[in-house]
Amino acid sequence: MSADLLRVREVLESLPDVAEAEVFRITHGRTAAVAALVRGHHPPDGPTTPGTPTPSPPYPGPDVAPAIAALNRAAVLAIAQTLRGAGLFAPGTTHTAAEICAALGAPERHRWIVRRWPAALTEHGLLGGASPQSHHGPLRAVTRAELGAAMAESDAARRDLGYPAAMGRFLQSTLRGLPTLVSGQRTVQSVLFEGGATDTATGNYRDNVISRHLNTVAATAVARAAAGRPRVLEIGAGVGATTEHVLAELGSPDYLFTDVSAFFLDAARDRFAAHPGRLRYALVDINAPTPPWLSAEPRFDVILAANVLHNARHTTRTLASLRELLAPDGTLVFLESCREHAVLSTGMHFLMSARADEPTPGFADFRAGQDRIFPTVAEWTTSLHAAGFDHVAVNPGPTGPLAAAGQHVFTARRREPTPPRPDPAVVLTAAAELLPAALAPIEAHAVDTLTRTIAVTR
């Protein structure tokens, strides 16, 4: 932590109602600003174990483990061929992560992905080993024919999982063009949304057996939570894959569809134009302060977030901000991947790299410096309790035919604080009087516990 942020934390922890504070930077327009989490002197006790499954629609599909293994194997073979093509890991050679990145021409924004590769290769028996400082060969040579066969098997796996042909073309293109992706010569967005089409992204988030089931589970959870009072906010709605299932369950809701991109808002306006109910659309960035107009809205009965909260720079801060938008006893429903598959590191991970002009690159929570994106089930559960949620449930559970996918639907209910938390408005006013304007936090959230010391569980 920088000296400036340490100073802010010391000031906040000197306030009478604040026992402990966590400070970090968030996006504020084209710059960065300070945000804070504060807890009182008597935080309530709460469970921090993973939530238990609740009744949900049965999964009708096959065990996904063999197909996912085939996708991951093709990915690690493509990674191995990319590294050998750059002259790396000849027998007897050793390379640091920096040397690997330099040989591949990887820009800073993509280096976190490259740093993941040696561990994936070692796990699949392709690379000799690793130490904290360097990775050593030999790296098993991968022939073009071997990679071609693995890619054919991965395409069969793609079909088994129900992904459409567009998703198959995306996977094949990213595997074959991995050197240009990692060097930044080509963007994964240009492949995923080629010609402005969304069919590939829709295939990833809707048109496959895993997503269809999880979207159904999420829609059922939203409908159960919103029974009789369907006022719903969807955060990061994207291509609307989950939205479609939820709207089918809700009938005529008061529904606010939000995303960080106007591209998706325009597509959703056309797609859902004929749907009954009050559908509205707005730009919202989970890594920026909550817009005043959104805070002024009547509280929502349900907040839905599908495959977006992993982008939060600080999970507890984002969860706490969402809690503040919920009505008493309101419910948060979110869908998340909780496992880092090798196939992600040859495609979708490139979507998650920080922008070149990002004012606050990287994570500020327990993932900081770990070159990973997805919190585990246990980490999400702990963050939910810290942010003021209870009755956490996770579907599907840790075993069964969907376990290998590592994707889950979380539901959690807003908990009312006992004893009261510090008042964020009072904290901000006091901090503004004690700190220079450049260091005064622009937002604060009161939480039950801080999660900066969460133990990493892989």
Side-chain angles (χ1 to χ4, degrees), residues 146-455:
E146 182 183 13
L147 178 58
M151 290 175 66
E153 291 174 3
S154 75
D155 199 50
R158 182 269 306 171
R159 292 193 298 272
D160 289 343
L161 293 176
Y163 285 96
M167 193 64 190
R169 290 190 293 271
F170 170 79
L171 292 169
Q172 300 287 312
S173 180
T174 54
L175 291 176
R176 293 190 183 282
L178 190 53
T180 61
L181 283 179
V182 74
S183 66
Q185 298 173 55
R186 181 177 62 154
T187 67
V188 75
Q189 288 89 338
S190 68
V191 185
L192 187 63
F193 302 107
E194 186 175 7
T198 62
D199 53 338
T200 304
T202 300
N204 186 58
Y205 296 117
R206 187 190 69 184
D207 298 330
N208 60 85
V209 296
I210 301 169
S211 294
R212 277 197 296 271
H213 177 66
L214 294 180
N215 285 334
T216 298
V217 172
T220 301
V222 171
R224 185 184 299 124
R229 50 172 195 173
R231 179 169 166 74
V232 180
L233 165 65
E234 184 172 3
I235 297 289
V239 296
T242 308
T243 315
E244 178 181 293
H245 288 256
V246 171
L247 290 178
E249 290 284 339
L250 292 183
S252 300
D254 181 348
Y255 201 99
L256 179 55
F257 180 111
T258 73
D259 197 85
V260 73
S261 169
F263 172 79
F264 291 126
L265 300 186
D266 292 339
R269 284 190 185 95
D270 292 337
R271 181 176 177 184
F272 301 119
H275 194 279
R278 184 182 181 223
L279 270 68
R280 297 172 292 146
Y281 305 88
L283 291 170
V284 173
D285 181 354
I286 62 171
N287 286 314
T290 302
W293 65 265
L294 184 56
S295 296
E297 285 262 332
R299 298 290 181 88
F300 295 90
D301 303 304
V302 184
I303 295 178
L304 169 67
N307 298 298
V308 65
L309 293 186
H310 58 263
N311 292 312
R313 188 161 189 265
H314 194 293
T315 54
T316 306
R317 173 253 171 193
T318 296
L319 292 173
S321 68
L322 295 179
R323 181 194 173 279
E324 292 162 5
L325 298 173
L326 280 170
D329 289 330
T331 301
L332 172 65
V333 178
F334 65 95
L335 197 166
E336 273 298 332
S337 293
C338 298
R339 183 174 300 178
E340 307 266 1
H341 294 291
V343 69
L344 296 174
S345 290
T346 59
M348 297 300 284
H349 268 163
F350 290 94
L351 273 179
M352 302 169 192
S353 290
R355 302 190 313 268
D357 62 345
E358 177 63 57
T360 53
F363 294 113
D365 59 13
F366 47 84
R367 294 168 292 172
Q370 295 181 31
D371 296 328
R372 66 185 179 111
I373 293 288
F374 302 114
T376 65
V377 171
E379 288 166 344
W380 277 121
T381 303
T382 301
S383 290
L384 283 163
H385 285 295
F389 289 90
D390 60 13
H391 292 76
V392 177
V394 184
N395 285 294
T399 60
L402 280 176
Q407 296 182 40
H408 304 276
V409 175
F410 294 76
T411 61
R413 191 180 68 184
R414 173 186 163 124
R415 181 177 66 233
E416 299 312 308
T418 306
R421 302 184 180 109
D423 184 337
V426 172
V427 169
L428 291 176
T429 299
E433 294 174 352
L434 297 170
L435 289 163
L439 293 182
I442 66 167
E443 71 167 30
H445 302 282
V447 297
D448 291 337
T449 58
L450 300 179
T451 55
R452 62 188 178 204
T453 56
I454 285 180

Side-chain angles (χ1 to χ4, degrees), residues 67-163:
I68 288 175
L71 292 169
N72 285 332
R73 175 166 174 75
V76 294
L77 291 178
I79 290 169
Q81 190 175 78
T82 297
L83 294 175
R84 287 299 296 268
L88 296 165
F89 291 114
T93 61
T94 300
H95 302 291
T96 65
E99 290 169 343
I100 297 170
C101 290
L104 294 170
E108 184 62 37
R109 61 192 297 264
H110 290 331
R111 292 192 170 202
W112 71 275
I113 300 173
V114 176
R115 290 193 294 265
R116 297 185 57 83
W117 287 359
L121 293 170
T122 301
E123 179 184 347
H124 285 79
L126 296 175
L127 184 62
S131 71
Q133 290 77 33
S134 62
H135 309 278
H136 58 82
L139 174 63
R140 184 171 72 75
V142 176
T143 66
R144 187 170 298 180
E146 182 183 13
L147 178 58
M151 290 175 66
E153 291 174 3
S154 75
D155 199 50
R158 182 269 306 171
R159 292 193 298 272
D160 289 343
L161 293 176
Y163 285 96

